[in-house]
Amino acid sequence: MNQDLAPTTEAVYKLIQELNKLPGIGPKSAQRLTYYLLRAPEEQAKLLADAIVSVRQKTRLCPVCFNVTDSNPCLICRNQQRDRNKICIVEQPQDILALEHTGIYKGLYHVLHGAISPTEGVGTDDIRIKELLERLQGSSVDEVILATNPNLEGEQTAMYLQRLILPLGIRVTRLARGLPFGTELEYADDVTLTRAIEGRQEF
Ligand SMILES: [Zn+2]
């Protein structure tokens, strides 16, 4: 084995450790990626490093919907072609990507950045609920679509939001039950998601 690539090298060890912290990357994958990057053209490794730095420097959260954006407000909030009377509530920015990919929903969004989870210590004040209520007060919104994940935390969050939003005189709907329980929105396929949006029901 080439001594330069021995896993005892501190720089190598450090990269393996950092990659291992990423979701879905176990120790084996972290090792594989590290050795791949060691052998790849230097330019490729540099492009990856630059992309990581610039995604943090050049993006922020939209002050209206809390989607990840590089413009203020984000392109969706800014788009006058979208139906401004509908707001779809999602847990994470990547859920917007999944829903946008279906092309069927033309309203606005609100990203909670999490779901209520007493077991993980996430309370109602830890996600963007206050901002949602402020946004709804005195707005022209006539329907809120609860698109939190079809799992325990997502259901709890949806029920909590429903209790807060219904008294405002706004229709509250929930994505149809076509989504299997326990899954996450971002992994749902287009057909299932399209059906879930079209078949949304009063909640
Ligand atoms: Zn926005």
Side-chain angles (χ1 to χ4, degrees):
M1 190 181 175
N2 183 338
Q3 272 307 304
D4 290 333
L5 297 183
T8 46
T9 305
E10 202 186 318
V12 171
Y13 181 68
K14 197 170 168 197
L15 183 55
I16 293 173
Q17 261 193 325
E18 290 307 315
L19 289 169
N20 191 201
K21 290 178 189 166
L22 300 175
I25 309 280
K28 278 266 187 290
S29 299
Q31 271 178 33
R32 196 160 57 236
L33 288 170
T34 300
Y35 284 102
Y36 170 80
L37 287 168
L38 272 172
R39 294 187 182 100
E42 194 166 346
E43 181 61 16
Q44 190 183 344
K46 195 169 177 311
L47 284 173
L48 175 65
D50 289 349
I52 292 171
V53 172
S54 88
V55 80
R56 292 304 299 255
Q57 283 176 348
K58 294 184 182 154
T59 62
R60 55 167 131 174
L61 298 183
C62 171
V64 180
C65 72
F66 300 97
N67 187 16
V68 174
T69 180
D70 58 3
S71 65
N72 180 8
C74 74
L75 291 178
I76 294 175
C77 286
R78 222 181 239 233
N79 186 345
Q80 293 300 323
Q81 310 297 326
R82 302 202 62 123
D83 181 352
R84 313 193 80 78
N85 298 321
K86 293 188 176 19
I87 295 187
C88 181
I89 316 291
V90 295
E91 290 182 23
Q92 301 295 347
Q94 56 266 41
D95 299 333
I96 294 184
L97 281 186
L99 288 162
E100 284 297 289
H101 199 257
T102 69
I104 192 139
Y105 178 68
K106 300 289 179 212
L108 304 177
Y109 291 96
H110 188 90
V111 187
L112 295 171
H113 289 274
I116 300 167
S117 170
T119 51
E120 284 175 41
V122 182
T124 52
D125 292 339
D126 299 317
I127 57 177
R128 306 274 182 177
I129 292 177
K130 184 167 62 74
E131 291 86 346
L132 171 66
L133 294 175
E134 281 167 8
R135 198 177 161 192
L136 292 175
Q137 300 283 355
S139 73
S140 63
V141 173
D142 60 18
E143 181 183 358
V144 166
I145 301 155
L146 300 171
T148 50
N149 288 327
N151 55 28
L152 193 62
E153 292 78 16
E155 289 297 332
Q156 276 173 349
T157 308
M159 280 195 284
Y160 180 78
L161 289 176
Q162 181 215 27
R163 282 203 299 274
L164 292 177
I165 297 168
L166 272 183
L168 304 176
I170 297 170
R171 186 179 170 215
V172 179
T173 56
R174 177 88 171 109
L175 289 191
R177 305 280 160 179
L179 295 165
F181 190 82
T183 52
E184 288 180 20
L185 216 66
E186 64 174 301
Y187 302 117
D189 64 273
D190 280 358
V191 177
T192 309
L193 258 187
T194 299
R195 275 202 211 118
I197 301 168
E198 284 178 333
R200 65 184 186 269
Q201 295 147 354
E202 303 298 327
F203 184 62

